[in-house]
């Protein structure tokens, strides 16, 4: 009899990432058998997104039955343990007889049906006991007032996403089977010519039914004002709330303090309402909001949100775009991330956020680039700056010598900036680690050579849509920054594949070339 000493077996010592590379060469059937071999392999496979993709099942036929070829083939390969399924079907004939063999190991079910019968939906859910994520984007049919009593529960379901034009009855049914739900998302689809359906009562009843485990709520597409009602649900311990569903005041006066909510997203608001929100949600750390048209330039709400760390503001109306917003002189020491979308932003108030680490401007207008530079140079904690479609109201160049900043991550995409200023900005960021430049026609080989010379800590370079780059840029990288971890050229038509391949022959430690799209008109 042959025996083997387990301590001498090299397999257990193989690192997880090596096992993952080995498993990448297996198909779904072989991976299913591997999952049954031992607990460790099963955990490795289930924990790898790249491997779980192999267990995705797509059933796009409108009618599915046990006698149909797709289902026959699936049942014949019953060893495959599918973890995710995408359904486009509208009719499921005798699903209770064949679906459990497919659904018994499912963790994610996504339904994009034009219409589905409630009875069919129940059979599918009954046969998927391990479901963790359910996404339903469809209409459904059922006799009016005939929502059945549910005799089973989806004990593992944690995420529920609904997109439908008539969610009321569906919510009543699902409320009976989701005892451990953590995340709930509802998008009420508007039908042309019809008013959005009021789902306030049904949504609140559903949330009340799952309140013991629910952590996140997102609702859009209805005119209902949900925030005040949510705050009145006893025993609710939400952490995240997102509401894009009303065009009026959502909190007319401060409510009872809710200590659990840390993140809030509202589409349209006013400074007064945000002050009420700050008084009601004292532990708020993340806020995303827009403002009404008549909002004054000076806003005070940050004075009532002392723990806020991340703020995103979208200026959606013309007056705000012309005048911009202004914050009072009170310093806010907790704010670490600021995102400004649309509108004009004078940035004179930026020094009120001395501990800001991340700043993003998208589709925004600033007074001038020197004014922008003067503002960010005051922020000694600033590490990341991302600019997309930013333009200056007036053009002028820096008059004083640039101040050295601590910025490590710089993204500039499609911005109206001069070549001289961009070079000055990069050279002043002596600690740059990552640079991404996209759709900036001012960027050429001289720019790349200069940044390679000045950025001694650089680890990652990414270029996209830069038509003025040539092989000289590739040579500059190889000459001055051979230690880079990542270099990426995307849609840079004047850099050839052969020139990129030549970088592999240099002493660069690791070069990753991702998302190559078109080279000199070459098809994908």
């Amino acid at each position: 009899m042959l025996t083997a000493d387990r301590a001498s077996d090299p397999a257990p010592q193989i690192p997880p990432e090596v096992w993952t590379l080995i498993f990448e060469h297996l198909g779904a059937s072989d991976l299913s058998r591997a999952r049954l071999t031992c607990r460790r392999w099963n955990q490795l496979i289930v924990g790898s997104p790249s491997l779980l993709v192999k267990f995705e099942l797509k059933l796009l036929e409108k009618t599915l039955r046990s006698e149909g070829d797709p289902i026959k083939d699936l049942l014949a390969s019953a060893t495959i343990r599918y973890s995710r399924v995408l359904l486009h079907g509208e009719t499921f004939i005798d699903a209770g007889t064949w679906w459990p063999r497919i659904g018994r190991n499912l963790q994610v079910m996504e339904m994009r049906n034009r219409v589905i019968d409630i009875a069919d939906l129940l059979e599918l859910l009954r046969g998927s006991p391990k479901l963790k994520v359910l996404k339903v984007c469809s209409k459904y049919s059922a006799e009016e007032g005939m929502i059945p009593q549910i005799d089973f529960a989806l004990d593992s379901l944690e995420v529920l996403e609904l997109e439908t034009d008539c969610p009321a009855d569906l919510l009543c049914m699902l409320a009976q089977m989701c005892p451990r739900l953590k995340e709930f998302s509802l998008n009420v689809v508007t039908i042309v010519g019809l008013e959005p359906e009021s789902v306030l009562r049904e949504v609140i009843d559903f949330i009340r039914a799952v309140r013991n485990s629910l952590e996140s709520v997102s609702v859009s597409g209805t005119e209902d004002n949900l925030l005040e009602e949510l705050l009145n649900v006893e025993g609710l311990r939400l952490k995240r709330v997102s509401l894009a569903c009303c065009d009026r005041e959502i909190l007319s006066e401060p409510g009872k303090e809710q200590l659990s909510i840390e993140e809030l997203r509202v589409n349209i608001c006013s400074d007064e309402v945000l002050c009420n929100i700050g008084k009601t949600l004292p532990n708020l750390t993340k806020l995303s909001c827009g403002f009404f048209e008549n909002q004054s330039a000076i806003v005070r709400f940050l004075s009532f949100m002392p723990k806020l760390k991340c703020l995103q503001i979208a200026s959606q109306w013309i007056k705000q775009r012309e005048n911009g917003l202004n914050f009072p002189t009170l310093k806010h020491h907790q704010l670490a991330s600021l995102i400004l979308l649309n509108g004009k932003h004078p940035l004179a108030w930026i020094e009120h956020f001395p501990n800001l680490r991340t700043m993003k401007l998208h589709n925004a207008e600033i007074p001038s680039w020197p004014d922008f530079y003067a503002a960010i140079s005051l922020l000694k904690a600033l590490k990341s700056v991302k600019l997309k479609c930013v333009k200056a109201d007036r053009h002028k160049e820096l008059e004083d010598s640039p101040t050295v900043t601590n910025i490590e991550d710089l993204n500039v995409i499609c911005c109206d900036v001069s070549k001289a200023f961009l070079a000055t900005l990069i050279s002043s960021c002596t600690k740059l680690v990552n640079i991404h430049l996209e759709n900036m026609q001012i960027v050429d080989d001289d720019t790349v050579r200069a940044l390679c010379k000045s950025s001694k800590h650089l680890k990652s370079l990414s270029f996209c849509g830069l038509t003025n780059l040539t092989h000289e840029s590739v040579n500059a990288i190889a000459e001055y920054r051979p230690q880079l971890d990542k270099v990426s050229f995307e849609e840079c038509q004047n850099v050839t594949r052969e020139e990129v391949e030549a970088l592999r022959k240099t002493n660069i430690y690791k070069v990753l070339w991702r998302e190559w799209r078109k080279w000199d008109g070459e098809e994908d």
Side-chain angles (χ1 to χ4, degrees):
M1 181 176 64
L2 296 175
T3 61
D5 184 2
R6 183 176 178 83
S8 64
D9 182 4
Q13 282 74 46
I14 296 178
E17 55 270 21
V18 176
W19 278 118
T20 301
L21 289 174
I22 295 172
F23 291 146
E24 289 279 2
H25 296 280
L26 301 181
S29 181
D30 291 331
L31 280 175
S32 293
R33 296 187 184 94
R35 289 177 63 180
L36 298 174
T37 302
C38 64
R39 181 177 298 177
R40 184 188 179 205
W41 281 12
N42 181 58
Q43 291 173 343
L44 281 172
I45 295 171
V46 172
S48 171
S50 63
L51 295 177
L52 281 180
V53 170
K54 297 175 181 288
F55 294 97
E56 290 185 1
L57 173 63
K58 294 183 180 181
L59 295 175
L60 308 182
E61 292 77 7
K62 289 187 176 181
T63 301
L64 292 171
R65 65 184 78 201
S66 58
E67 296 85 3
D69 290 339
I71 302 304
K72 280 184 177 180
D73 294 340
L74 286 173
L75 298 180
S77 59
T79 57
I80 300 179
R81 302 170 65 183
Y82 292 104
S83 60
R84 183 185 183 109
V85 65
L86 173 62
L87 296 173
H88 280 200
E90 298 177 8
T91 304
F92 300 82
I93 299 176
D94 296 329
T97 63
W98 53 268
W99 179 258
R101 294 175 63 185
I102 298 172
R104 59 190 174 189
N105 293 305
L106 284 178
Q107 296 183 11
V108 180
M109 182 187 296
E110 185 173 354
M111 309 184 70
R112 294 193 170 273
N113 325 82
R114 188 177 61 83
V115 63
I116 184 172
D117 185 77
I118 282 289
D120 288 343
L121 177 59
L122 283 176
E123 286 294 343
L124 297 180
L125 296 179
R126 189 193 305 274
S128 310
K130 298 180 180 179
L131 210 58
K132 292 184 178 181
V133 179
L134 175 61
K135 301 180 181 181
V136 180
C137 178
S138 62
K139 299 180 182 179
Y140 64 92
S141 61
E143 295 184 23
E144 187 174 355
M146 294 298 292
I147 299 300
Q149 290 293 319
I150 308 301
D151 58 0
F152 68 96
L154 296 174
D155 292 323
S156 299
L157 192 68
E158 297 181 351
V159 179
L160 175 62
E161 298 181 10
L162 304 179
E163 184 174 341
T164 179
D165 62 332
C166 46
D169 292 340
L170 192 58
L171 287 174
C172 293
M173 182 185 75
L174 291 170
Q176 305 175 53
M177 64 174 75
C178 306
R180 294 181 176 86
L181 194 68
K182 293 183 178 180
E183 299 180 19
F184 169 57
S185 174
L186 171 64
N187 179 19
V188 182
V189 180
T190 303
I191 300 178
V192 178
L194 297 179
E195 292 294 325
E197 179 183 3
S198 176
V199 294
L200 178 60
R201 180 176 61 82
E202 289 79 7
V203 169
I204 295 301
D205 287 346
F206 175 84
I207 291 174
R208 187 175 287 111
V210 298
R211 66 184 181 276
N212 292 332
S213 59
L214 198 62
E215 298 178 357
S216 175
V217 168
S218 175
V219 179
S220 61
T222 174
E223 294 299 313
D224 292 325
N225 186 353
L226 291 170
L227 185 58
E228 290 186 1
E229 296 292 337
L230 278 177
L231 297 178
N232 291 326
V233 176
E234 292 292 336
L236 190 59
R237 296 293 182 267
L238 287 176
K239 294 181 179 180
R240 297 173 296 278
V241 177
S242 176
L243 303 175
C245 48
C246 61
D247 57 0
R248 56 184 183 275
E249 302 287 16
I250 60 173
L251 194 63
S252 55
E253 59 184 23
K256 180 181 177 181
E257 279 194 353
Q258 297 290 331
L259 303 179
S260 64
I261 297 179
E262 299 174 355
E263 299 180 15
L264 177 66
R265 182 184 183 92
V266 289
N267 57 332
I268 304 177
C269 210
S270 68
D271 181 51
E272 180 181 357
V273 167
L274 288 177
C275 291
N276 293 335
I277 289 174
K279 297 173 184 177
T280 307
L281 309 178
N283 291 327
L284 200 64
T285 61
K286 187 174 182 179
L287 173 66
S288 176
C289 63
F291 285 101
F292 284 111
E293 182 176 4
N294 58 357
Q295 173 61 48
S296 62
I298 298 178
V299 291
R300 303 174 298 110
F301 66 90
L302 285 180
S303 302
F304 301 94
M305 299 179 182
K307 296 184 179 181
L308 198 67
K309 295 180 179 179
C310 303
L311 174 62
Q312 175 175 306
I313 297 177
S315 301
Q316 303 181 27
W317 303 98
I318 297 298
K319 289 183 179 179
Q320 293 165 31
R321 290 178 178 173
E322 292 176 350
N323 302 323
L325 296 173
N326 202 351
F327 294 88
T329 57
L330 178 67
K331 288 187 181 294
H332 196 293
H333 292 277
Q334 293 297 319
L335 197 67
S337 175
L338 179 63
I339 303 174
L340 301 175
L341 309 178
N342 310 323
K344 180 181 291 187
H345 301 284
L347 299 180
W349 39 262
I350 201 71
E351 61 182 323
H352 303 156
F353 309 137
N355 295 318
L356 203 64
R357 294 180 61 86
T358 300
M359 185 179 197
K360 300 180 183 179
L361 297 181
H362 185 188
N363 196 26
E365 184 176 332
I366 56 178
S368 72
W369 287 107
D371 290 333
F372 168 79
Y373 185 83
I376 64 172
S377 64
L378 297 173
L379 304 175
K380 302 306 179 183
L382 192 63
K383 299 295 184 183
S384 177
V385 174
K386 299 184 179 181
L387 309 172
K388 184 175 182 180
C389 300
V390 178
K391 64 179 181 179
D393 183 43
R394 60 184 183 277
H395 292 277
K396 64 178 184 179
E397 298 299 330
L398 280 172
E399 298 178 357
D400 301 324
S401 300
T403 304
V404 175
T405 70
N406 294 317
I407 297 172
E408 298 178 358
D409 183 21
L410 178 64
N411 280 246
V412 185
I413 303 173
C414 199
C415 291
D416 179 21
V417 59
S418 70
K419 179 180 177 180
F421 178 81
L422 181 62
T424 301
L425 176 61
I426 292 175
S427 64
S428 69
C429 302
T430 58
K431 298 181 180 180
L432 273 177
V433 176
N434 307 303
I435 298 179
H436 175 79
L437 302 176
E438 181 175 341
N439 292 334
M440 302 282 294
Q441 301 313 310
I442 61 167
V443 176
D444 56 17
D445 296 331
D446 292 337
T447 309
V448 175
R449 181 172 294 275
L451 70 86
C452 285
K453 284 184 176 181
S454 63
S455 305
K456 297 181 180 180
H457 302 281
L458 207 57
K459 292 184 178 180
S460 173
L461 266 178
S462 177
F463 304 121
C464 179
L466 305 183
T467 57
N468 290 328
L469 298 190
T470 69
H471 67 282
E472 292 294 337
S473 292
V474 179
N475 294 339
I477 294 170
E479 179 181 356
Y480 295 103
R481 291 290 161 247
Q483 81 285 6
L484 290 181
D485 289 341
K486 176 185 175 181
V487 180
S488 174
F489 288 84
E490 181 182 351
E491 294 188 336
C492 299
Q493 291 90 339
N494 294 320
V495 179
T496 67
R497 187 185 299 273
E498 291 73 20
E499 290 161 353
V500 169
E501 291 295 333
L503 272 177
R504 299 180 184 272
K505 300 177 182 179
T506 68
N507 59 338
I508 292 180
Y509 171 65
K510 180 170 58 176
V511 182
L512 302 178
W513 307 103
R514 295 180 178 177
E515 299 179 359
W516 291 77
R517 294 180 182 174
K518 292 185 179 180
W519 292 80
D520 301 322
E522 179 181 341
E523 293 298 325
D524 293 330

